[in-house]
Amino acid sequence: MKNPSLIAAAAFALLSLAACGSQAPEEVSSTAPDPMASQLANAAPIELPPAIAESVTLRCGDNSLVYVDFFQGNKQVQLKTEKGGPATMLKAPEAGQPFEAAGGYKLTGTSKNVSVTLPGKPAKTCHA
């Protein structure tokens, strides 16, 4: 009742399928290898800029306002003299030292009370 040709065909199919798994599949990609891969692998780690720790509006003795963003790490602040005006980044060499920028900008103090010097103007005290 058993058909020998049917058994032979089944055995041949099984042997054919077993041979398929012996080779790794060929990878096909439409992209070229990255020419900068080795440079990127050996690059120095990237340091993210500090996040804003506190944004404050301070009123000065001459009734003007200054807008200051204090950054984490206490090494830089961003100063604006108008709410929508341009910002100036002031940096300190070490935490706790005065923040300065080119042109005569200087800021000392904390988010509650600061002394600000703007280009061509005397220093003024501002508080929250």
Side-chain angles (χ1 to χ4, degrees), residues 67-111:
Y67 307 89
V68 184
D69 295 328
F70 289 87
F71 289 85
Q72 290 179 348
N74 297 323
K75 290 187 179 182
Q76 65 185 28
V77 296
Q78 185 170 293
L79 174 68
K80 292 190 281 186
T81 56
E82 299 173 10
K83 187 165 182 84
T88 303
M89 186 66 71
L90 289 79
K91 296 187 177 188
E94 294 295 325
Q97 294 185 357
F99 303 99
E100 296 181 354
Y105 290 92
K106 186 174 181 181
L107 185 139
T108 57
T110 66
S111 61

Side-chain angles (χ1 to χ4, degrees), residues 25-52:
E26 179 183 351
E27 277 190 46
V28 178
S29 175
S30 63
T31 59
D34 187 0
M36 294 184 64
S38 63
Q39 292 173 346
L40 293 173
N42 297 327
I46 297 173
E47 183 179 332
L48 295 174
I52 294 175

Side-chain angles (χ1 to χ4, degrees), residues 5 10 25 49 60 71 95 102 126:
S5 62
C60 302
F71 289 85
C126 308

